[in-house]
Amino acid sequence: MKDFRILLVEDEKLMSMFVEMELNHEGYNVDLALDGREGLNIAEENQYDLILLDIMIPGINGIEVCRRIRQSSMVPIIMLTAKSDISDKVLGLDVGANDYLTKPFAIEELLARIRVYERNKSISNNRDEIKVRDIVMDNKAHNVKRDGKEIELTKKEYDLLEMLLINKDVVLTRAQLIEKVWGYDYIGDTNVVDVFIRYLRSKIDDGFEDKLITTIRGVGYVVKGE
């Protein structure tokens, strides 16, 4: 059995049984909830490495479940939806989901995405604290300090900064940041990266003579180690 625990919140019994069986076959430790309220309770009482969360579930819908989980946990969440409406996908991402998968989907695609988060867990276990110049990111406490001052960041700002810090001295393109922070299935304009870089700069660079984030015109962004 793998050291990777998954919560599946899905009310379609045939779908949930099939996915649970496939995940168990792959060696994952899987818990199942058939409605939103049960899923939320289980998520709050246990520690998971990934949550697969259907949007259209009884009790409490998946969007609200995701929103409530995000109040206390940064566990990766993949939304499962039968809807193709972009607004539902955007709403899911806005309340804190990491990715989404539209049903019906191939089990191979789901497994591939799960492996991404499994690898990320392995990497993050080796980077509990990231230090670059005078900025410190504590992934256990999920906070960021610059010159000893704590800085409040949203989830996307935090994820974006983390990607820049662990790739210090490497110029990351907008496309790379989109794939790594928003997910390769993201539908939208790459200008979202520029918007969030501005948000980040207003929090971690304003008021400091030494600017952390450097723009490489026509290419992307980098945090230089020196």
Side-chain angles (χ1 to χ4, degrees):
M1 186 68 68
K2 296 182 179 182
D3 182 24
F4 196 83
R5 194 173 182 189
I6 299 173
L7 172 62
L8 171 62
V9 187
E10 169 62 69
D11 67 311
E12 295 180 28
K13 290 187 177 181
L14 289 178
M15 166 72 80
S16 61
M17 289 174 59
F18 171 71
V19 172
E20 182 181 24
M21 179 183 67
E22 289 291 333
L23 295 182
N24 283 330
H25 179 72
E26 293 294 323
Y28 294 109
N29 186 344
V30 184
D31 290 333
L32 176 63
L34 297 175
D35 64 61
R37 193 170 299 281
E38 179 187 16
L40 181 61
N41 289 338
I42 293 175
E44 290 177 340
E45 292 172 359
N46 300 277
Q47 293 290 323
Y48 292 97
D49 298 299
L50 178 67
I51 296 177
L52 304 175
L53 177 60
D54 188 24
I55 288 183
M56 298 300 293
I57 47 177
I60 306 174
N61 68 48
I63 298 294
E64 180 62 18
V65 171
C66 181
R67 189 188 68 78
R68 295 191 190 184
I69 289 174
R70 279 291 172 261
Q71 293 176 353
S72 59
S73 171
M74 299 306 295
V75 57
I77 297 174
I78 299 178
M79 305 294 290
L80 307 177
T81 174
K83 292 187 175 184
S84 59
D85 190 345
I86 297 300
S87 62
D88 290 308
K89 297 172 182 177
V90 171
L91 184 57
L93 295 171
D94 281 346
V95 297
N98 299 82
D99 201 354
Y100 63 84
L101 199 55
T102 302
K103 297 188 288 185
F105 52 81
I107 191 65
E108 291 81 5
E109 182 177 5
L110 175 60
L111 291 174
R113 298 200 189 190
I114 291 173
R115 286 193 292 270
V116 170
Y117 292 101
E118 192 175 6
R119 287 194 298 269
N120 288 346
K121 177 192 175 184
S122 177
I123 293 171
S124 65
N125 285 342
N126 297 320
R127 62 182 194 219
D128 290 337
E129 185 175 86
I130 305 168
K131 294 182 180 179
V132 179
R133 285 150 54 183
D134 62 347
I135 196 160
V136 179
M137 174 174 278
D138 184 340
N139 281 323
K140 285 188 174 180
H142 204 267
N143 66 31
V144 174
K145 292 181 180 180
R146 182 161 191 195
D147 197 24
K149 178 184 177 183
E150 187 164 347
I151 300 168
E152 291 188 11
L153 300 176
T154 67
K155 179 185 181 301
K156 277 291 183 282
E157 291 166 353
Y158 188 98
D159 291 346
L160 180 59
L161 178 61
E162 181 182 28
M163 194 53 55
L164 290 167
L165 293 179
I166 63 177
N167 289 283
K168 71 174 182 178
D169 298 319
V170 177
V171 179
L172 298 176
T173 67
R174 291 171 180 81
Q176 287 173 320
L177 290 168
I178 284 286
E179 179 179 342
K180 294 176 182 296
V181 177
W182 280 263
Y184 65 86
D185 222 11
Y186 171 78
I187 298 175
D189 199 317
T190 56
N191 285 341
V192 68
V193 174
D194 303 319
V195 172
F196 275 83
I197 288 290
R198 287 200 298 271
Y199 293 160
L200 260 183
R201 281 176 165 154
S202 70
K203 295 182 178 182
I204 66 172
D205 276 346
D206 286 0
F208 291 90
E209 183 176 348
D210 182 24
K211 305 304 181 185
L212 190 73
I213 302 173
T214 300
T215 300
I216 306 301
R217 193 172 300 277
V219 183
Y221 299 95
V222 62
V223 167
K224 296 182 179 180
E226 297 296 339

